[in-house]
Amino acid sequence: MKRNDRDILIIVDVQNDFCPGGALAVPLGDLIVPAVNRLAAGFAHVVLTQDWHPRGHASFASSHPGKRPFDTIDVAYGEQILWPDHCVQGTRGAGFHPDLDVPHAELVLRKGFRTAIDSYSAFFENDRRTPTGLVAYLKERRFERITLCGLATDFCVFYSAIDGRQSGFEVTVVTDACRGIDIDGSLDRAMRSMNEAGVTILAH
Ligand code: VGL
Ligand code: ZN
């Protein structure tokens, strides 16, 4: 498919904390960086997302006495997985992987900055209601097709893909430029749900 001014690449959370050695490392997460750079070179328009939590964020197990990372709790908007402290605003872990090379990215979209709400999707926070503003941005700029890559396939990439479809965009996920966390079968479930939602899955 020829990419043009209707196409945008959204690179999800390619941050140090999601790479080996980081606080919430996605297995082999750093190995996608060359594929992400290559993919980005084929797009005129690119957005980067950046997970960006305040200290004491509600998604951190450390904010809930007696809880451990990967436990789940019930919150007002449903079930929330508790994570190790990660992507704390201004820390090295929240920075982009040093080899990510996308100087032409036009927008860096930060998410997860509200203490009480987690935000996996680039479009809506985990209450599924609070917008990040990205739908309006993409529509005002007249993009029609979104390609997604980054970390993690089964969380932030997955929810972004579903919300992108629901917001009326064509959505493609490039799996060679993604890696998953895979908690209790979450990667299989995510791939199945994306298929059902009409997301195009490409290897590269
Ligand atoms: C993510 C868990 C918590 C992600 C972010 O980028 O997929 N996962 N915060
Ligand atoms: Zn997070």
Side-chain angles (χ1 to χ4, degrees), residues 13 18 24 51 53 83 86 111 118 120 151-152 155-156 181:
D13 299 359
F18 295 124
L24 176 42
D51 210 38
H53 300 306
W83 305 105
H86 65 279
K111 62 185 180 61
D118 205 3
Y120 297 148
L151 305 171
F155 287 92
C156 291
I181 299 177

Side-chain angles (χ1 to χ4, degrees), residues 12-15 18 24 26 49 51 53 59-60 80-81 83-84 86-87 111 118-120 150-158 179 181:
V12 176
D13 299 359
V14 180
Q15 293 167 260
F18 295 124
L24 176 42
V26 179
T49 73
D51 210 38
H53 300 306
S59 76
F60 296 170
Q80 170 71 47
I81 303 179
W83 305 105
H86 65 279
C87 297
K111 62 185 180 61
D118 205 3
S119 187
Y120 297 148
L151 305 171
T153 320
D154 41 349
F155 287 92
C156 291
V157 173
F158 165 60
R179 283 293 182 282
I181 299 177

Side-chain angles (χ1 to χ4, degrees), residues 71-150:
D71 285 349
T72 55
I73 57 167
D74 287 314
V75 296
Y77 53 76
E79 189 177 88
Q80 170 71 47
I81 303 179
L82 296 176
W83 305 105
D85 291 23
H86 65 279
C87 297
V88 173
Q89 295 172 359
T91 62
R92 193 187 157 276
F96 292 112
H97 189 284
D99 297 334
L100 185 68
D101 185 21
V102 191
H104 59 300
E106 294 170 346
L107 176 72
V108 176
L109 183 99
R110 289 174 167 170
K111 62 185 180 61
F113 48 75
R114 288 186 178 80
T115 301
I117 317 183
D118 205 3
S119 187
Y120 297 148
S121 162
F123 298 101
F124 293 95
E125 303 199 13
N126 285 15
D127 61 0
R128 317 306 298 134
R129 246 176 260 280
T130 305
T132 63
L134 188 58
V135 173
Y137 173 88
L138 296 181
K139 293 207 164 161
E140 188 163 31
R141 294 202 53 201
R142 303 194 182 284
F143 293 114
E144 293 169 1
R145 293 186 293 258
I146 295 168
T147 300
L148 284 163
C149 65

Side-chain angles (χ1 to χ4, degrees), residues 12-67:
V12 176
D13 299 359
V14 180
Q15 293 167 260
N16 292 317
D17 270 343
F18 295 124
C19 293
L24 176 42
V26 179
L28 311 179
D30 57 334
L31 293 189
I32 69 168
V33 173
V36 170
N37 290 340
R38 257 193 318 273
L39 189 60
F43 280 81
H45 306 287
V46 182
V47 170
L48 306 177
T49 73
Q50 191 171 27
D51 210 38
W52 195 249
H53 300 306
R55 274 175 211 291
H57 192 257
S59 76
F60 296 170
S62 64
S63 304
H64 304 270
K67 295 292 179 190

